[in-house]
Amino acid sequence: MPLSSVAPKPDNNGGTEMAMNQTKKMEDSNTNTSYQNYCLQMNSHSFLQHSLYPIVLKFEEIVYKVSCGRASSGNEKTILDGVTGMVCPGEILAMLGPSGSGKTTLLTALGGRLSGRLSGKISYNGQPFCGVVKRRTGFVAQDDVLYPHLTVFETLFFTALLRLPKSLTKDEKSKLVEHVIVELGLTRCKFSMIGGPTFRGISGGEKKRVSIGQEMLINPSLLLLDEPTSGLDSTAAQRIMTTLKGLAGGGRTIITTIHQPSSRLYYMFDKVVLLSEGSPIYYGLASTALDYFSSIGFSTPFTVNPADLLLDLANGIGPEQGVENGDSPQKDPSDVRATLMSAYDKKISTRLKIELCSSDLGSFNYKETTSRIEATSEKWCTTWWYQFKILLLRGLRERRFEAFNKLRIFQVLSVAILSGLLWWRTPSSHIDDRIAMLFFYSVFWGFYPLYNAVFTFPQERMTLIKERSSGMYRLSAYFLARTAGDLPLELALPTAFTFIFYWMGGLKPDPSTFILSLLAVLFSVLVAQSLGLAFGAILMDVKQAATLASVTTLVFLIAGGYYVRQIPPFIVWLKYLSYSYYCYKLLLGIQYDDDDYYECAKNAFCRVAEYPPVKSVGLSNLWIDTSIMLLMLVGYRFLAYIALQRVR
């Protein structure tokens, strides 16, 4: 096998000469020239983040292991076992193999997104993965992680605002988005929503092109794609690969995993890595793969799709040569794999290592430099305030159809009206009913926001992982923008509820008392939302977070100071953890003071402060209660922020 073409020797400028040779080779092919012209346009635009910087990616003896069962048991499973290769500017390297062979793991490792027991050498023009490489790398995941309620243009435009430098104007970024839309064939659906599980949007192929377009905006030198044709018909898959071929023709380094390509797609690859249970059994030119396997005894007399033969071999299934004559029975899969691995070691591995060394730009040992890479400070393209504004605007646009959901509005207003009718004009002498009304008021707006907030971060987990991995924004900017974007709905509904419920229930008809009661409830809403955000961020699972919220609300309900007044000393601390208890106490303190009386019997008046349910809670120290709720508000949100930092 002619491995000399696998690892051409780069010059001292990080592979520039090699990139030019590869580009020339691509231009001589029958690739769609419009994409090549577009790549040249991308490089010539003066307002781009950077000019194209050719990247030679080398990986040698990549090994990745994961623990099976308990960590103390010492059982490990090898996902990747000694994978080596090299891809140059202008080339498309395809990773083939059956499901579970390690393709996605290897791609993730090459994209600098894999942590754990990873060993081997990976270099980008002889340098380790760092901020500079990260900003020149595009990564397209297998699943299209997109906001369903944004249009195609909005999706790409917000990406451009966040990932392109602040030195560019909005008009320049908008022009670049228009270029990407035209060249990816998305003009027809430019103003169509992406779509999601609950409503139909653009097609699967169009979603994949939008995902690729998000990475094209930064003019990437290295583009990694995980199963870009998965779930697409042959025409859509062909269009995606034509796009990638054109991007490679502009001098980019492209690596993609692909499960079972058609023969048309296969012949668009420059190089192929074939994996079988994590071990490589072929690396080299796509055009010479059949000749190589034929040379080691795995030939077929039939005209077949090369990808089909390669996948059969990776599964341990040899070609059906002579089966109809009964003179060549099928071998055991383990024997086939053993033969292929042995041939790889003899015919490919040794020569590949020699040629990689001869073209060495410098090596990078992952284990020795992991801590140094993680400590590398990265320069953000935009300021914190700019990121916050864009993320807030994007969040409001995305949730503009859900912000004032008709069902939620109907739910809140119907409860307000029904409750107001039940407590209609409650006279001051009916102090039991009034206190019950205040307790319900505090409990409802202590628990309703909690249940809504637990969904916030788990639903955006994949988006957060994708965008943070790309270095789009600071986590603090996202956190504050996301929580601030929810405030209009979170505060508008309890305000509307209060206007209905307060006056229908016949509470103290004083403007200042009404305003203070409203502020106390809104304060409780923010605290409840904070606890819900913390639950969601810590667990990152909707079902688990909802279960924990249910248990918490039940405990807070019982210990809220209304149902149980004489709590045993060993568990009395529970009520001091309940924000509903403090809200209930604040509402009582706002409605009553120590000098208020109620008619406890005919022509007999008693002090409200001496009424047992009120006495057990108290009407004093309201500023202390407010301070405790403020500490809860800050503490829960800080806990949620810390929990989000571990989401990778």
Side-chain angles (χ1 to χ4, degrees):
M1 184 181 61
L3 282 175
S4 59
S5 60
V6 172
K9 185 176 181 179
D11 59 7
N12 295 328
N13 293 324
T16 303
E17 181 180 342
M18 179 167 48
M20 294 174 62
N21 293 335
Q22 293 292 339
T23 304
K24 185 177 185 302
K25 179 184 72 173
M26 299 300 296
E27 288 175 347
D28 292 339
S29 66
N30 294 325
T31 305
N32 189 322
T33 56
S34 67
Y35 288 105
Q36 294 177 1
N37 294 333
Y38 171 67
C39 295
L40 295 176
Q41 281 183 343
M42 293 278 285
N43 292 336
S44 63
H45 278 314
S46 60
F47 52 80
L48 282 177
Q49 181 179 1
H50 53 76
S51 59
L52 191 64
Y53 179 75
I55 291 180
V56 178
L57 174 58
K58 295 169 60 175
F59 49 99
E60 185 174 354
E61 295 297 327
I62 302 301
V63 177
Y64 183 67
K65 298 180 180 181
V66 296
S67 299
C68 298
R70 296 182 178 179
S72 59
S73 64
N75 295 329
E76 291 184 332
K77 180 180 180 181
T78 301
I79 307 298
L80 297 173
D81 189 10
V83 185
T84 301
M86 177 178 180
V87 58
C88 305
E91 293 180 337
I92 297 180
L93 171 67
M95 299 178 184
L96 299 180
S99 298
S101 60
K103 304 186 300 296
T104 299
T105 303
L106 178 58
L107 187 77
T108 307
L110 298 181
R113 302 183 178 205
L114 191 63
S115 59
R117 298 197 58 185
L118 178 67
S119 61
K121 298 178 181 178
I122 306 176
S123 66
Y124 309 78
N125 288 350
Q127 302 297 321
F129 188 83
C130 57
V132 174
V133 176
K134 183 177 183 179
R135 288 190 293 273
R136 299 175 186 272
T137 300
F139 193 101
V140 180
Q142 180 176 355
D143 298 323
D144 299 311
V145 183
L146 304 167
Y147 283 107
H149 291 97
L150 294 181
T151 65
V152 171
F153 178 82
E154 288 173 338
T155 299
L156 294 175
F157 186 56
F158 281 119
T159 301
L161 292 176
L162 289 168
R163 299 190 70 176
L164 295 179
K166 60 182 179 181
S167 57
L168 309 184
T169 66
K170 282 190 176 182
D171 289 339
E172 290 172 332
K173 293 178 181 180
S174 179
K175 289 179 182 178
L176 185 57
V177 169
E178 295 285 355
H179 279 297
V180 171
I181 288 175
V182 170
E183 295 304 327
L184 290 178
L186 296 170
T187 305
R188 183 179 62 86
C189 60
K190 176 180 176 181
F191 298 111
S192 300
M193 286 190 184
I194 298 297
T198 58
F199 68 100
R200 185 175 178 83
I202 60 178
S203 67
E206 289 168 336
K207 288 181 181 179
K208 183 60 65 177
R209 277 179 273 154
V210 171
S211 297
I212 295 175
Q214 287 183 307
E215 304 304 321
M216 287 174 57
L217 288 169
I218 64 170
N219 194 21
S221 301
L222 174 63
L223 184 60
L224 303 103
L225 307 98
D226 189 13
E227 301 280 1
T229 61
S230 178
L232 304 181
D233 58 68
S234 59
T235 302
Q238 176 75 15
R239 184 161 192 172
I240 293 293
M241 284 308 305
T242 302
T243 301
L244 298 180
K245 194 73 171 176
L247 292 174
R252 290 164 181 80
T253 303
I254 296 180
I255 304 175
T256 179
T257 65
I258 195 162
H259 184 63
Q260 194 164 10
S262 64
S263 58
R264 288 195 304 172
L265 299 186
Y266 178 84
Y267 286 111
M268 298 179 75
F269 305 142
D270 296 291
K271 294 178 181 176
V272 168
V273 172
L274 181 61
L275 299 176
S276 177
E277 296 183 349
S279 299
I281 57 177
Y282 178 73
Y283 169 84
L285 299 176
S287 58
T288 60
L290 292 182
D291 294 336
Y292 165 75
F293 286 112
S294 178
S295 69
I296 60 174
F298 293 97
S299 60
T300 174
F302 309 107
T303 301
V304 297
N305 176 5
D308 293 339
L309 176 62
L310 267 58
L311 287 173
D312 285 343
L313 293 173
N315 282 300
I317 302 173
E320 300 176 350
Q321 183 175 6
V323 172
E324 62 275 6
N325 298 327
D327 57 355
S328 180
Q330 292 292 311
K331 297 181 180 179
D332 184 81
S334 59
D335 294 335
V336 173
R337 290 194 184 95
T339 303
L340 292 170
M341 292 177 188
S342 177
Y344 179 88
D345 291 336
K346 293 178 181 178
K347 294 197 171 189
I348 298 179
S349 180
T350 303
R351 293 181 60 188
L352 176 58
K353 290 178 182 178
I354 293 174
E355 295 199 18
L356 286 177
C357 291
S358 66
S359 62
D360 199 6
L361 294 170
S363 62
F364 161 48
N365 188 286
Y366 188 91
K367 287 184 175 180
E368 294 178 356
T369 57
T370 298
S371 59
R372 181 169 64 86
I373 293 173
E374 291 178 349
T376 301
S377 60
E378 297 184 10
K379 182 181 178 181
W380 298 95
C381 295
T382 53
T383 63
W384 185 95
W385 179 246
Y386 183 84
Q387 292 172 5
F388 172 79
K389 290 191 298 182
I390 298 303
L391 289 170
L392 179 60
L393 179 60
R394 186 182 70 173
L396 294 175
R397 286 282 185 89
E398 161 59 20
R399 295 188 294 278
R400 63 187 183 273
F401 296 101
E402 296 181 349
F404 292 94
N405 183 281
K406 293 180 180 179
L407 181 61
R408 291 186 65 184
I409 295 175
F410 172 77
Q411 181 183 20
V412 171
L413 295 183
S414 61
V415 171
I417 295 173
L418 180 60
S419 303
L421 292 174
L422 289 173
W423 276 290
W424 177 260
R425 301 294 183 183
T426 304
S428 59
S429 59
H430 295 182
I431 192 168
D432 277 336
D433 290 342
R434 283 208 167 205
I435 292 176
M437 177 168 49
L438 293 175
F439 183 74
F440 165 78
Y441 190 21
S442 64
V443 165
F444 182 80
W445 287 109
F447 299 160
Y448 186 81
L450 173 64
Y451 283 105
N452 289 327
V454 295
F455 295 92
T456 300
F457 294 127
Q459 289 179 337
E460 293 198 359
R461 179 176 180 271
M462 296 308 300
T463 302
L464 181 61
I465 292 174
K466 171 191 171 183
E467 295 182 340
R468 286 199 68 203
S469 299
S470 301
M472 287 180 64
Y473 46 70
R474 299 167 177 84
L475 178 61
S476 57
Y478 164 81
F479 180 79
L480 290 178
R482 184 64 180 85
T483 54
D486 289 335
L487 289 181
L489 177 63
E490 295 297 335
L491 299 182
L493 290 180
T495 301
F497 182 96
T498 301
F499 270 96
I500 298 172
F501 178 73
Y502 189 93
W503 301 110
M504 289 182 67
L507 291 174
K508 195 172 181 179
D510 180 67
S512 61
T513 305
F514 169 77
I515 293 175
L516 288 175
S517 300
L518 175 60
L519 292 177
V521 169
L522 294 181
F523 197 18
S524 178
V525 166
L526 294 178
V527 177
Q529 183 196 35
S530 303
L531 183 58
L533 293 175
F535 284 164
I538 292 171
L539 298 175
M540 274 299 173
D541 182 89
V542 172
K543 290 184 178 179
Q544 294 181 11
T547 301
L548 181 58
S550 300
V551 175
T552 303
T553 54
L554 179 61
V555 173
F556 285 0
L557 179 67
I558 297 174
Y562 180 77
Y563 291 111
V564 184
R565 298 167 195 164
Q566 302 299 326
I567 302 178
F570 65 89
I571 203 173
V572 70
W573 53 270
L574 273 178
K575 73 176 183 180
Y576 298 114
L577 299 179
S578 171
Y579 53 84
S580 296
Y581 166 77
Y582 295 107
C583 181
Y584 170 53
K585 188 177 178 181
L586 285 175
L587 290 175
L588 283 176
I590 293 170
Q591 288 291 320
Y592 302 103
D593 57 43
D594 291 332
D595 298 328
D596 284 340
Y597 290 84
Y598 70 99
E599 188 176 1
C600 52
K602 189 173 183 180
N603 298 324
F605 293 88
C606 302
R607 291 183 63 197
V608 173
E610 297 298 327
Y611 185 63
V614 177
K615 187 176 181 179
S616 65
V617 175
L619 298 176
S620 59
N621 301 321
L622 299 185
W623 284 110
I624 295 178
D625 301 328
T626 304
S627 300
I628 293 174
M629 290 184 68
L630 180 61
L631 288 176
M632 288 182 175
L633 173 65
V634 176
Y636 290 149
R637 291 188 182 253
F638 181 73
L639 184 62
Y641 176 74
I642 295 299
L644 284 182
Q645 288 186 323
R646 63 178 177 83
V647 178
R648 302 295 182 186

